[in-house]
Amino acid sequence: KSGLDPGGAWHAWGMACLKAGNLASAREKFTRCLKPPMDLNQLNHGSRLVQDVIQYLESTVKPVLITDDDYFATLRELEATLRTRSLSLEMMCEGKIQHNSYYQECLFYLHSYGTNLAIISFYMRHDCMREALLHLLNKESPSEVFIEGIFIPSYESGKLHMLENLLETIDPGLESWGVYLIAACKYLQRKNYYHILYELQQFMKDHVRAAMTCIRFFTHGAKSYTELGGKQAWLLKIKDHLKVYLQEVSRSSGRKKMAFTFRKKMSATDVSRHINTVDLQMEVTKFLHQCESSGASQVTDSSLPTLFGNNNMKMDVACKVILEGKNIEEGFGIAFRVLQDFQLEATEVYSKVAKQLVKQQKYSEIQQLLKCVNESGVAAKNDGDNIILNCLNEFRNIPAEDLDNLIQDMDSDENKIQAYMLCNKLRSAYLVSVRQEKGRAVQLVQHVRQLAESSGDDVVKAICAQWL
């Protein structure tokens, strides 16, 4: 008459029937107030009313311990106590409680009014992981339900191995679990749980991704190559994973193609290239570790470059190797291989090294660098000259004697003239200019005269004018 929602009354009546042990009557009352969820895959446990019913039924399932105050228990309470005790015994023996009427009642309400997550969570609470997994598969639930309902509870309770064993028992090839396993890996990566991630990738036999996780273990948080020296075991693991992957690929190419739908694929040439990178990184690590141990190295606060980064980082590795040896020659061989293997811009690296040497005022080592570059056999004609010119563009305050030595080491007269002009050594620029072929000499001397005029060098201006 008052138009109030009768749902609350039906729910209270249903709960009263449950508590009285009248399960059939309770079902009938609850049909009037409970509704199935719109989306079975929503990430919650259904309506509060359903959760109350399940909570009560589950509390009835738990064993009851008799205390001194229970002497006046009613006959019905005593029956319930005995029933739940025998149930707890059954659970201990089988780890399952299927044969219990309250368990079946929970499942009735969950399947009628609960979400897939609620059903799966119920199975997990009662150590029925296999049933949880089969329900997930049968209902084709999304991966979020797997993560929330099965995966997180498994690793939090230390049952990850049990989960892995069941996944393999249900589907030895793991194909039907692919989507769920990849989602679990992404979740672990977001959470930065890399050790669990690595364990899962090994179980999945996803060797390429496992190798990538090992790269992170090797590089992450290291501040020096001494630290990386102590983490070289990870480099060996990377190689092992890649070699196993290569073996699997070669085995499967002979037979019918293997359905690696969720494991990361990579071409054999790419894998071989990565193995080569690992070998080279081992060499770099040993070399720089030795340099740091002998005190030759300058440890920087910036992030540590390795060959697993982008091309700029690889170039930083090459620079570091050249600069941190006892002399330029010592590290040049390894750096040269880095440049060749990754097809990096060699002149850019050599110029960076040269600029660093100028900063450190090691001018004689620049000459040693140029010697190494020329002897490498792949340097272009003007590489050495360009390295010096790049240095002079940035540093005009090199001592006169060292500056002369550097410029005289240049091959091309044109470049020497350009270098002298850069450093405002106009007299020297004039002397090299007049030695050129007549037509070119005229152009160069005119240029020198213009520079002398604008810089107010009357002596050089007069010499140029007289020659012209």
Side-chain angles (χ1 to χ4, degrees):
K1 284 179 182 176
S2 58
L4 295 173
D5 177 24
W10 285 116
H11 186 258
W13 197 350
M15 288 302 285
C17 292
L18 272 189
K19 287 170 185 174
N22 191 347
L23 302 181
S25 182
R27 282 191 185 192
E28 192 266 321
K29 304 294 178 284
F30 283 129
T31 54
R32 297 167 185 271
C33 61
L34 299 181
K35 291 184 182 70
M38 298 287 284
D39 175 16
L40 288 174
N41 287 320
Q42 59 197 41
L43 286 181
N44 59 44
H45 290 259
S47 73
R48 184 69 255 170
L49 300 180
V50 179
Q51 289 179 54
D52 288 345
V53 173
I54 302 302
Q55 215 170 343
Y56 172 75
L57 287 168
E58 281 187 304
S59 69
T60 313
V61 162
K62 283 177 186 161
V64 178
L65 298 173
I66 295 179
T67 60
D68 293 342
D69 299 334
D70 285 336
Y71 286 126
F72 304 108
T74 63
L75 188 59
R76 185 184 290 283
E77 285 171 327
L78 191 56
E79 268 182 88
T81 305
L82 291 170
R83 186 174 62 239
T84 51
R85 273 201 168 161
S86 67
L87 169 66
S88 71
L89 189 66
E90 204 176 310
M91 279 181 74
M92 281 189 285
C93 297
E94 291 187 23
K96 302 248 170 101
I97 49 173
Q98 275 96 323
H99 307 305
N100 177 268
S101 57
Y102 278 82
Y103 176 88
Q104 293 303 335
E105 209 59 23
C106 282
L107 284 179
F108 166 76
Y109 286 107
L110 285 167
H111 281 287
S112 305
Y113 309 110
T115 59
N116 285 326
L117 180 60
I119 297 166
I120 284 167
S121 299
F122 174 79
Y123 281 133
M124 290 296 286
R125 279 198 301 279
H126 295 286
D127 293 326
C128 302
M129 195 187 280
R130 183 187 172 84
E131 283 73 5
L133 288 167
L134 291 172
H135 182 85
L136 180 88
L137 268 192
N138 292 337
K139 299 294 177 188
E140 295 180 353
S141 292
S143 46
E144 292 81 7
V145 174
F146 170 73
I147 303 288
E148 199 74 29
I150 299 175
F151 186 70
I152 295 174
S154 294
Y155 78 71
E156 282 183 348
S157 59
K159 290 180 181 169
L160 194 55
H161 284 299
M162 185 178 162
L163 172 62
E164 290 172 352
N165 290 338
L166 276 170
L167 293 175
E168 217 163 17
T169 308
I170 295 168
D171 177 4
L174 299 179
E175 286 305 319
S176 43
W177 304 116
V179 177
Y180 299 118
L181 289 168
I182 293 296
C185 290
K186 285 178 180 169
Y187 167 81
L188 292 170
Q189 207 166 351
R190 277 199 308 276
K191 288 280 186 181
N192 287 333
Y193 295 164
Y194 283 94
H195 288 280
I196 304 175
L197 173 66
Y198 182 51
E199 189 189 319
L200 190 61
Q201 286 168 336
Q202 289 179 93
F203 160 72
M204 291 159 65
K205 298 184 174 57
D206 195 348
H207 294 293
V208 174
R209 286 195 180 96
M212 289 156 79
T213 305
C214 291
I215 289 174
R216 191 195 181 271
F217 283 134
F218 175 71
T219 55
H220 186 69
K223 290 278 182 282
S224 69
Y225 261 89
T226 306
E227 275 182 59
L228 286 184
K231 294 166 97 177
Q232 286 190 79
W234 288 113
L235 293 176
L236 295 171
K237 284 188 178 179
I238 298 167
K239 270 182 79 171
D240 289 344
H241 284 299
L242 294 176
K243 282 177 178 173
V244 171
Y245 177 78
L246 272 185
Q247 285 164 3
E248 285 182 0
V249 168
S250 60
R251 271 206 305 270
S252 65
S253 60
R255 301 197 311 271
K256 188 165 75 75
K257 246 191 155 14
M258 286 173 83
F260 280 142
T261 48
F262 65 91
R263 296 175 183 94
K264 191 166 177 66
K265 292 192 192 77
M266 196 177 272
S267 70
T269 45
D270 280 351
V271 175
S272 302
R273 204 178 67 243
H274 286 306
I275 290 173
N276 187 45
T277 300
V278 174
D279 286 333
L280 202 46
Q281 180 63 53
M282 277 178 158
E283 224 173 308
V284 166
T285 306
K286 280 176 191 156
F287 177 76
L288 290 175
H289 184 192
Q290 270 173 344
C291 294
E292 284 180 9
S293 305
S294 66
S297 161
Q298 285 118 23
V299 182
T300 53
D301 293 332
S302 57
S303 67
L304 203 61
T306 68
L307 298 177
F308 299 118
N310 57 21
N311 277 359
N312 284 340
M313 194 186 263
K314 290 179 180 113
M315 287 161 93
D316 288 345
V317 171
C319 291
K320 196 172 173 68
V321 169
I322 295 175
L323 285 165
E324 296 197 358
K326 287 197 283 287
N327 52 48
I328 294 297
E329 243 171 307
E330 193 187 20
F332 189 84
I334 298 174
F336 182 71
R337 275 180 48 212
V338 171
L339 297 174
Q340 290 293 96
D341 282 10
F342 298 107
Q343 297 176 328
L344 301 173
E345 194 52 64
T347 317
E348 199 180 320
V349 171
Y350 299 145
S351 296
K352 255 186 174 178
V353 171
K355 284 171 189 174
Q356 210 51 42
L357 292 171
V358 171
K359 273 186 191 170
Q360 295 166 14
Q361 299 182 344
K362 296 178 176 173
Y363 305 109
S364 61
E365 292 200 14
I366 297 176
Q367 289 168 300
Q368 200 182 4
L369 172 69
L370 296 174
K371 180 171 168 279
C372 290
V373 171
N374 290 329
E375 287 171 0
S376 68
V378 294
K381 188 171 180 291
N382 280 334
D383 274 2
D385 290 7
N386 288 334
I387 291 165
I388 295 171
L389 284 172
N390 283 335
C391 273
L392 300 181
N393 267 323
E394 274 189 45
F395 304 99
R396 307 290 165 83
N397 54 351
I398 299 172
E401 192 183 335
D402 294 304
L403 185 62
D404 279 337
N405 289 340
L406 283 177
I407 295 174
Q408 277 159 25
D409 274 348
M410 295 173 101
D411 292 324
S412 140
D413 279 354
E414 290 272 348
N415 288 332
K416 282 181 186 173
I417 295 162
Q418 196 184 336
Y420 282 131
M421 287 176 179
L422 267 175
C423 303
N424 220 24
K425 287 181 162 286
L426 299 179
R427 189 186 179 87
S428 301
Y430 163 79
L431 290 171
V432 182
S433 298
V434 295
R435 292 208 303 267
Q436 308 309 304
E437 175 268 322
K438 218 15 157 240
R440 183 66 186 135
V442 171
Q443 287 174 328
L444 290 167
V445 173
Q446 280 173 335
H447 190 196
V448 173
R449 185 178 66 172
Q450 281 169 356
L451 288 173
E453 200 172 337
S454 56
S455 65
D457 189 336
D458 294 336
V459 178
V460 174
K461 182 185 164 188
I463 297 170
C464 291
Q466 191 179 354
W467 186 88
L468 287 165

